[in-house]
Amino acid sequence: MADRAYAESIELPTDQIFKHLKNAKRFTLDIGGSLAKLAYYSTVPKKRSLVVETSKSNSDAIYHVSEEDELRDQLHFIKFETKYIETCVDFIQQNLVESPELMKDKIIKVTGGGAYKYKDLLSRKLGVQVDKEDEMQCLIKGCNFLLKNIPDEAFIYQRHGNPEYKFQMTDPDVVFPYLLVNIGSGVSFIKVESDTKFERIGGTSMGGGTFWGLGSILTKAKGFDELLAIAENGDHRNVDMLVRDIYGGAYSALGLPPELIASSFGKAARSSQDRDSGTFGDADIAKSLLITISNDIGQIAYLTAKLHNLQKIYFGGYFIRGHPMTMHTISYAIKYWSKEEVQALFLRHEGYLGAIGAFLKGLEEEDVEKYSWGEYTSWGENYAGSSGLASPKTATQRAFARRLATFDMLELDRFAKPLVTCPLLLDPASYFPDTEDLTQNQEAREYWLQCFEEATGKFAERAISSQPSKADAEQRAKRFTEKFIGRVKDLKLNPCAYGSLTVRSLLDTREHCLEEFHFTDVYSQQKQVENEQALKLLSSRLEEIDALSDEGDQWLSLVEGLLAGNVFDWGAKEVAILMEASQLGFKEALDKLQGRPWLIDNFDAWLQRLRGPPHKCAVVFVDNSGLDIILGVFPFTRALLKRGTNVILCANSRPVLNDVTYNELTILTKRVASISKDISDALINGHLLVMESGQGSPCLDLRYIDFDLTERMKEYNTDLVVLEGMGRSIHTNFLATFSCDTLKAAVLKNQWLATKLGGGMFNVVFKYERACKVTSSTPDPR
């Protein structure tokens, strides 16, 4: 067959779509009848903030800050229409393929129906061997990978809900078992019990091919997508016979409601003249056919799941593809047949399952440890480089067709170390980090999206000033601004595009956009200055605390110092204005604190606990650099150490805002140790540890923290967690419950948030909670 028989031309937006293709190490293809997916792994050039300790003889400079180049691992997945396959292969040939001699022994993994159809094209143009992979195995591998690595991957679709998408928490440790319903031409039901154990336990021939085939016979629709599009505007009641059409209303004796379909296409059979008279048309027929197929699949899927005692049913395949009407009919069928005991689950990235699975199978034949840590979370979604879910509100025939004609992308960044769930959470399966889900609160969503949009200009200025020697800094900052504001505007139209919209996800999105344009630590210079200044004040602060003879007064001063230090947050607009004007020092911050009783005031309960035996180990998740970490956290830490409590200080692995990083904290701890003998002794004797959290956010998602940190938590028998700052204890984890004691300490530095919590600016949250025991699953705060 000539290549032109199945290829069409398309102009490829290479800079935006096939990013870093020249650095690709391997690639795979999943080629379907209508859509193809390219997957490739590449090393991406990035900038990294480098902190190097200076000699202690230099009394002012603690460390030097610079940047260095590094290569990071990234996975890229691109989805496009199969009719453009040859143009894309040509592009791969020009930009990726080495000399024919070097390529002749190389193997690429290909899955999907097109693996057979396009084998010759791929072999001839790329000069490689094509290894066809089993489609079902690839789907399962891809599904497992997404459920373990991507938060908010699974969702329930609620057609008339607000929002339409309700994302489901997936504990990476309890993914299995589940039923995967793959709806292609036919339908397969696959029971998945582990990464390696799965089997096809049923199926039906009534699938997408049935819908397309009968639709082609019964209507004038010219293709699958057109058939779905016209179904959107149809009314199945003009074609289907309902219970009310037979009995004049409900059949109460059998519990049958009047709107229940008694006979699919029943009216068409009884009224042969209706179609000619215009009573029903193609749209009604398509809608009836869609419901008929979906009801059949839904009933069999539910019965299959019940038979095998499976509670989770995920749907995927060409028949789904995120189309709102299809998801609605499937969801309704499952809800009806299960009597609302089970809900249909869909996947944000279900179109990439085969490509991901084929890619992973290729890795198994190489050094898999290089790319994955097995059962642990290895990869995270990059919001700057990924396409979001299409908005169901714009999924008209024209919009859906336009979406299909574009390139969808998914980018995954490899974490430097494996991440796992915090072992101290009371019930990890029900843990949801965020206090407010902005997808469900329109007022909060509008406020925070506007806040982030308005603050972008300041961040761009800060980014430019952080790289004074880079001639292109201003140009890159402009591109950052355009990218991030574009994302914010997209989220205003479709807040569910990247999963649950939260303050945490907005902060992560901004950081991803900054990093894409090589801005890695825009507050590095500010942090350095503030750390150096704060160290000069530490001795007098410790003397001030030690001069207090009463234990209660001493601990109150320590807590107030912890809170006052937390005021110094460049991420808070109102505080940043004061700091820019040099109107805020440590004493001024203490004066701004709300007097007792605080908004949430558990200090007396905390003091009472301190009169008992010491905690075995406290894990402190720290916040800001400068006065916060040095005058607030270190004195508090010293007091815990003097009680006989081991302390683990946890700082971000990656820079964000003015939060102290692990590398910076390691150096600062040495300098503090030279000032405080208690800190020095604890550091030498292993009673004080400095560790990285595994995160790079002002917030804290305890589903994904550093593996080594969790091991030390268990080794040291941690029985106290301290969450400091608005991001870690208010925006996230405010409602979280733990199996150990917890302190959540923050100063409210945002007027809207303060009002929401019933307080005012600079009000104090000091929330002490005793260890809890698991009695039942904690309700989802969403």
Side-chain angles (χ1 to χ4, degrees), residues 100 440 674:
Q440 299 189 36
S674 68

Side-chain angles (χ1 to χ4, degrees), residues 179-181 187-191 199-203 297 300-301:
L179 182 70
L180 177 62
V181 181
V187 185
S188 289
F189 302 111
I190 306 135
K191 178 182 179 181
E199 63 175 321
R200 186 181 188 274
I201 55 176
I297 295 171
I300 299 174

Side-chain angles (χ1 to χ4, degrees), residues 228-526:
L228 279 175
I230 64 172
E232 183 77 32
N233 300 315
D235 187 344
H236 74 98
R237 295 171 297 183
N238 294 331
V239 181
D240 294 338
M241 186 181 296
L242 311 181
V243 168
R244 73 181 184 194
D245 296 322
I246 302 174
Y247 299 105
Y251 193 161
S252 302
L254 294 181
L256 303 178
E259 295 299 317
L260 184 68
I261 298 173
S263 174
S264 298
F265 289 89
K267 287 182 180 178
R270 295 181 61 187
S271 306
S272 58
Q273 303 301 318
D274 281 353
R275 188 171 185 183
D276 293 335
S277 64
T279 304
F280 62 85
D282 281 2
D284 304 325
I285 292 171
K287 182 69 165 288
S288 175
L289 184 58
L290 180 61
I291 292 174
T292 300
I293 302 297
S294 299
N295 273 334
D296 182 67
I297 295 171
Q299 182 179 26
I300 299 174
Y302 167 66
L303 292 174
T304 302
K306 186 175 183 180
L307 181 64
H308 291 267
N309 196 30
L310 300 171
Q311 301 300 314
K312 293 176 288 191
I313 310 176
Y314 296 103
F315 289 85
Y318 185 79
F319 187 67
I320 305 292
R321 290 180 304 137
H323 194 282
M325 178 55 64
T326 309
M327 293 190 296
H328 170 64
T329 54
I330 290 285
S331 299
Y332 180 86
I334 289 289
K335 185 178 179 181
Y336 176 79
W337 292 113
S338 72
K339 295 182 172 56
E340 302 191 25
E341 292 180 1
V342 180
Q343 293 178 302
L345 296 168
F346 304 95
L347 301 172
R348 281 203 292 136
H349 303 106
E350 68 89 15
Y352 298 104
L353 298 187
I356 292 172
F359 189 87
L360 294 175
K361 285 182 72 68
L363 295 184
E364 290 176 354
E365 298 173 7
E366 296 186 6
D367 181 10
V368 68
E369 292 300 321
K370 183 178 178 181
Y371 307 97
S372 172
W373 290 288
E375 61 185 297
Y376 306 125
T377 300
S378 309
W379 303 85
E381 182 175 7
N382 187 310
Y383 297 130
S386 300
S387 304
L389 276 171
S391 171
K393 291 178 178 163
T394 60
T396 60
Q397 176 180 353
R398 181 176 299 175
F400 191 68
R402 184 167 58 248
R403 175 68 183 247
L404 288 175
T406 61
F407 287 76
D408 274 358
M409 296 165 290
L410 169 63
E411 283 187 8
L412 302 175
D413 295 321
R414 184 179 185 269
F415 296 127
K417 297 173 66 178
L419 304 182
V420 296
T421 302
C422 177
L424 303 176
L425 289 170
L426 178 66
D427 185 10
S430 65
Y431 170 74
F432 180 66
D434 304 283
T435 306
E436 189 78 70
D437 186 344
L438 304 183
T439 56
Q440 299 189 36
N441 187 328
Q442 182 177 350
E443 177 197 356
R445 179 171 69 247
E446 290 175 352
Y447 171 79
W448 285 109
L449 286 172
Q450 190 63 32
C451 272
F452 274 85
E453 184 172 357
E454 289 175 354
T456 306
K458 281 286 185 183
F459 271 86
E461 291 174 9
R462 176 73 66 170
I464 295 169
S465 64
S466 71
Q467 297 181 351
S469 62
K470 301 295 177 63
D472 64 341
E474 187 172 345
Q475 181 185 10
R476 285 184 285 112
K478 181 179 179 181
R479 293 173 66 193
F480 152 73
T481 301
E482 292 170 351
K483 182 70 172 274
F484 182 65
I485 288 182
R487 278 286 188 265
V488 171
K489 290 180 177 178
D490 288 343
L491 289 167
K492 287 181 179 180
L493 296 173
N494 183 22
C496 296
Y498 296 92
S500 294
L501 181 64
T502 63
V503 172
R504 174 176 58 89
S505 69
L506 284 169
L507 288 164
D508 289 346
T509 301
R510 184 168 65 193
E511 288 305 310
H512 291 173
C513 290
L514 280 167
E515 191 174 77
E516 180 174 335
F517 299 106
H518 302 295
F519 295 110
T520 57
D521 192 357
V522 300
Y523 283 88
S524 59
Q525 298 166 21
Q526 186 72 42

